Amino acid sequence: MKKEFLDLGKQPIANKFLNKGEFDNEFLFDLKAVFDDDTKLVSLKEFVAPEMMFNDDYTYHASMSDTMKIHFKSLADRLQSEFNPVNVLEIGSNDGIFIRHFNPDNTFAVEPCGNFADMTNDMEYKTYPEFWTTKLSKLIKQEHGTMDLIYAANCICHIHDLDDTFTAVRNLLSEDGIFVFEDPSLLRMMERGSYDQLYDEHAHIFSVTALKNLLERNGLEIFRVDNLNVHGGSNRIYVKLKTNRYRTHEQSYFSNLMQEETFGLDVFNTYEIFAERVEKSKNELVSMLKKLKDDGKKVIAYGAASKATTVFNYCGIDNSLIEYITDTTPSKIGKHQPGTHIPIISPDDGFDETVDVAYLGAWNFKTEIMNKETSYLSRGGKFITHVPQVMMFS
Ligand code: TYD
């Protein structure tokens, strides 16, 4: 049975950045989170139609971040040296940040956002411009045979029907093949109070516990879990066919399950406590921004992340409190944040000496940003974050 524990109010499509003429009739939905007592899965109560989020206008470019480029290069090297896969498939290949490290002759991709599918097809990687389904996995198997490595980053948690997703993987995996995927970690979200991991695209926030339950009922088994710092704390899950007796559960699998149980991720009350913390975070952030405004400070936001869409819409923060948002992504510059319609401008135009305080929308890149913005910090510029609690720092 699914039980609701969090209501983040009316929210827009977090990555649908708007031009000035597009504010009227913006699509909004109720962003609520539920806990499934049976599988222990945390999901959104209401799913948004995939075509509304993942289409030719999709703006998230993984390669915009140096952190992510290094992340995927080192993973590709490790997977190649440890598992030596021949046939490789990536689900949700975005701008090719991961597959570019593999041989195009036997590396394939699935990417429903047409703008990105065109990009990787141009790079000679056969890319299916479709959503990941059992039907598609059968077609790929017919055309190219089974896969030794199926990989997905920040993609599986976007898919509503996980049973179909995992059946599709089981169907396409070679007998000793592996399925590796990484998504934000529920445990990290709960520990850090980062409720902004919840937005339309993140249909689920995974615990290892819930994944174990869902994978096992679809003929798959987790054998290893890596805990990662990217995207505010993620888990990389390594999966094999249940019938593959060659690999067994590793220590990291058991220790992650144990940590989650210790935190109480299998108990509904843990989520009720989290909801109280989220409300407190909202009140503190709004009070801090109002005080800064009263003191005559110029406050902006740094990074038009999807996560910031959740925070500003939930907290009712508009451009009376945040003058504008700076972002380096060309397709976001000149547009407006969904829901709040706060303008987004280039850091070259807006991250200047007039700024007193910047709310860190891209808080998951804190280290990269701190290293980059030394001159802002040395002239007394300050940052605000709400993770793990609302605070100002420099
Ligand atoms: P990100 O956390 O990658 O994504 P999500 O949308 O999943 O929450 O978003 C970070 C945003 O911050 C992205 O639009 C790029 C921007 N950004 C900057 O403007 N400057 C920077 O130095 C970095 C690291 C990111």
Side-chain angles (χ1 to χ4, degrees):
M1 196 183 62
K2 289 181 184 160
K3 293 181 180 164
E4 181 182 321
F5 63 91
L6 187 63
D7 182 353
L8 296 173
K10 289 275 180 215
Q11 293 275 352
I13 305 281
N15 254 319
K16 192 164 174 29
F17 296 89
L18 304 171
N19 291 309
K20 248 209 172 94
E22 297 173 332
F23 296 167
D24 291 343
N25 303 320
E26 188 176 4
F27 171 83
L28 298 174
F29 72 105
D30 288 310
L31 182 58
K32 294 179 175 171
V34 294
F35 171 73
D36 185 340
D37 251 345
D38 304 322
T39 60
K40 315 299 177 198
L41 180 67
V42 166
S43 307
L44 300 190
K45 185 168 185 181
E46 185 183 322
F47 292 142
V48 174
E51 297 76 12
M52 288 185 71
M53 302 179 280
F54 308 112
N55 50 44
D56 298 356
D57 298 327
Y58 194 62
T59 48
Y60 178 80
H61 271 254
S63 299
M64 287 310 296
S65 155
D66 291 339
T67 310
M68 296 316 292
K69 279 199 237 171
I70 297 165
H71 172 83
F72 287 114
K73 162 88 174 82
S74 70
L75 174 65
D77 290 348
R78 272 185 38 211
L79 292 175
Q80 266 159 337
S81 66
E82 182 177 353
F83 299 102
N84 199 19
V86 178
N87 270 1
V88 176
L89 174 85
E90 182 173 19
I91 309 169
S93 46
N94 196 259
D95 55 15
I97 190 169
F98 175 75
I99 51 170
R100 64 185 310 118
H101 303 293
F102 292 84
N103 179 356
D105 293 344
N106 38 31
T107 301
F108 311 95
V110 172
E111 175 51 72
C113 303
N115 48 339
F116 288 118
D118 287 348
M119 202 184 278
T120 45
N121 266 318
D122 288 346
M123 289 160 63
E124 306 294 323
Y125 292 93
K126 163 81 182 155
T127 307
Y128 294 81
E130 290 176 48
F131 289 99
W132 176 246
T133 58
T134 299
K135 193 168 161 226
L136 177 62
S137 81
K138 285 183 180 160
L139 175 73
I140 297 174
K141 191 171 176 177
Q142 238 173 39
E143 292 184 351
H144 306 288
T146 55
M147 297 291 141
D148 307 311
L149 168 64
I150 300 180
Y151 178 71
N154 303 301
C155 173
I156 302 300
C157 74
H158 293 171
I159 307 179
H160 303 165
D161 185 347
L162 294 173
D163 285 319
D164 183 70
T165 297
F166 295 148
T167 303
V169 167
R170 189 191 58 209
N171 171 59
L172 192 56
L173 215 51
S174 61
E175 196 43 46
D176 57 355
I178 58 162
F179 169 42
V180 180
F181 65 106
E182 55 191 77
D183 290 288
S185 148
L186 181 67
L187 181 61
R188 296 292 168 255
M189 177 183 104
M190 302 289 284
E191 282 174 345
R192 295 177 181 173
S194 47
Y195 64 88
D196 48 342
Q197 292 288 5
L198 294 161
Y199 54 92
D200 55 329
E201 289 179 24
H202 288 176
H204 320 278
I205 304 289
F206 292 138
S207 60
V208 179
T209 311
L211 285 172
K212 170 186 184 294
N213 295 333
L214 289 153
L215 287 158
E216 283 184 2
R217 76 183 187 196
N218 288 288
L220 296 162
E221 237 169 32
I222 303 174
F223 63 94
R224 180 188 301 170
V225 178
D226 290 343
N227 303 127
L228 312 170
N229 282 327
V230 294
H231 288 294
S234 300
N235 286 330
R236 180 178 297 140
I237 311 286
Y238 295 70
V239 173
K240 64 175 185 72
L241 293 177
K242 247 187 193 171
T243 48
N244 173 357
R245 303 253 166 262
Y246 170 66
R247 294 183 196 286
T248 50
H249 298 307
E250 297 177 12
Q251 184 49 37
S252 59
Y253 164 82
F254 295 111
S255 60
N256 272 274
L257 287 176
M258 180 83 82
Q259 279 170 34
E260 293 187 353
E261 193 185 341
T262 307
F263 192 89
L265 287 193
D266 52 344
V267 182
F268 184 65
N269 182 245
T270 307
Y271 299 90
E272 292 177 303
I273 294 167
F274 179 74
E276 286 166 17
R277 177 173 173 189
V278 171
E279 195 171 353
K280 183 164 170 277
S281 170
K282 164 181 161 169
N283 294 336
E284 288 177 3
L285 181 60
V286 172
S287 304
M288 185 181 274
L289 292 175
K290 282 189 172 153
K291 167 109 181 35
L292 287 164
K293 178 88 187 170
D294 291 347
D295 292 347
K297 302 289 185 204
K298 175 167 171 176
V299 185
I300 65 147
Y302 189 114
S306 321
K307 294 186 280 294
T309 302
T310 292
V311 174
F312 290 177
N313 281 282
Y314 168 58
C315 298
I317 294 165
D318 58 17
N319 81 331
S320 66
L321 292 176
I322 297 280
E323 212 162 294
Y324 51 79
I325 306 172
T326 62
D327 198 287
T328 49
T329 314
S331 54
K332 293 183 186 176
I333 295 168
K335 297 204 170 178
H336 297 77
Q337 189 185 49
T340 67
H341 307 156
I342 301 174
I344 300 166
I345 62 176
S346 144
D348 294 340
D349 296 331
F351 197 62
D352 56 22
E353 55 294 334
T354 64
V355 175
D356 297 305
V357 182
Y359 167 80
L360 203 49
W363 56 263
N364 45 312
F365 290 113
K366 186 174 169 186
T367 312
E368 182 174 333
I369 294 168
M370 293 296 109
N371 290 336
K372 196 162 70 174
E373 304 301 353
T374 46
S375 66
Y376 171 72
L377 291 164
S378 60
R379 72 160 178 80
K382 296 195 167 24
F383 284 103
I384 295 178
T385 183
H386 68 284
V387 179
Q389 69 258 331
V390 175
M391 60 182 172
M392 200 175 323
F393 62 97
S394 54

